[in-house]
Amino acid sequence: MINKVSVDMDQLFAGLKDGATIMIGGFGGSGIPHELIEGLVGQNAKDLVIITNNAGSGETGIAALLKARRVRKIICSYPRMADSYVFDNLFKAKQIELELTPQGNLAERIRAQGAGLGGFFTQTAYGTLLAEGKETRVINGKNYVFETPLSADFALIKGNKGDRWGNLVYRKASRNFGPIMAMAAKNTLAQVNEVVELGELDPETVVTPGIFVKYVVPMGNQGAK
């Protein structure tokens, strides 16, 4: 019987090694898998590469991971929020590496990995510092820069509901990068507000099929953002 439901953090993060690449969902304060990030901090893995939209705020979530000095490099589109002082301090001290990627490029690089593509050409960032060292091409008279896919050892995402097969539905903006990250990672851990019985999820509303999810992690009704 397939049952992907688990709350055992050691089981969830089995195989995690120093230097691993981890995608973490979230857009601003929406859809952040806080409990999974706390579980990741507890695993003591270091020199991690984090792929996410922003570099955390305050001292919770991704910021807590940064404060614990577990991250070597972060790939994101929006590293500086109003209270991203943990990242700011590390970056100014040259204690963390930043790869800045425009948000659309970030999403498409993740999606490209899940779709099995070798990369793509885009006009975004052409002629800027972000395109330095990358292949460029003129297509139909317009300038493009080549972007490579992003893959990960683990993806930590947040859904609204899931079943024991790993099928997921999301709540509004909390969906954000979750579906494409689930497809781009070797191991996807999906924190959900509620685990429902098989058949309760309308197949027409399932955004992430269970084939892309390794574990479903119930965290109770958090009132979900």
Side-chain angles (χ1 to χ4, degrees), residues 131-190:
E132 285 190 352
K134 298 179 180 179
E135 180 184 352
T136 59
R137 185 175 297 185
V138 177
I139 302 174
N140 294 329
K142 296 181 179 180
N143 295 312
Y144 290 79
V145 60
F146 187 73
E147 295 285 354
T148 55
L150 289 172
S151 61
D153 300 295
F154 285 83
L156 313 184
I157 64 175
K158 184 175 182 179
N160 186 29
K161 295 180 181 180
D163 61 28
R164 64 176 174 84
W165 283 358
N167 297 307
L168 301 177
V169 297
Y170 300 86
R171 183 179 185 274
K172 300 182 179 181
S174 66
R175 171 173 171 173
N176 53 75
F177 296 88
I180 55 175
M181 286 183 171
M183 296 176 65
K186 297 175 183 177
N187 303 284
T188 295
L189 312 182

Side-chain angles (χ1 to χ4, degrees), residues 5-6 8-9 19-20 23 31 85 113 115 125 128 166 169 173 177 184 212:
V5 178
S6 177
D8 184 338
M9 291 297 171
M23 294 178 175
Y85 54 85
Q113 174 66 28
T128 72
V169 297
F177 296 88
F212 296 114

Side-chain angles (χ1 to χ4, degrees), residues 87-224:
F87 168 80
D88 283 354
N89 292 338
L90 290 173
F91 187 71
K92 290 174 181 176
K94 298 183 178 181
Q95 295 175 344
I96 190 170
E97 181 181 348
L98 169 66
E99 181 178 331
L100 190 64
T101 303
Q103 193 171 90
N105 288 6
L106 177 68
E108 188 65 5
R109 291 178 70 187
I110 297 169
R111 192 197 71 83
Q113 174 66 28
L117 303 179
F120 59 94
F121 283 96
T122 176
Q123 291 180 273
T124 304
Y126 178 88
T128 72
L129 292 174
L130 300 182
E132 285 190 352
K134 298 179 180 179
E135 180 184 352
T136 59
R137 185 175 297 185
V138 177
I139 302 174
N140 294 329
K142 296 181 179 180
N143 295 312
Y144 290 79
V145 60
F146 187 73
E147 295 285 354
T148 55
L150 289 172
S151 61
D153 300 295
F154 285 83
L156 313 184
I157 64 175
K158 184 175 182 179
N160 186 29
K161 295 180 181 180
D163 61 28
R164 64 176 174 84
W165 283 358
N167 297 307
L168 301 177
V169 297
Y170 300 86
R171 183 179 185 274
K172 300 182 179 181
S174 66
R175 171 173 171 173
N176 53 75
F177 296 88
I180 55 175
M181 286 183 171
M183 296 176 65
K186 297 175 183 177
N187 303 284
T188 295
L189 312 182
Q191 175 182 326
V192 297
N193 296 313
E194 182 183 359
V195 174
V196 300
E197 295 296 327
L198 291 179
E200 285 191 32
L201 297 179
D202 181 349
E204 295 294 331
T205 68
V206 171
V207 178
T208 298
I211 192 172
F212 296 114
V213 177
K214 185 169 185 179
Y215 288 112
V216 175
V217 188
M219 292 297 173
N221 187 354
Q222 304 289 325

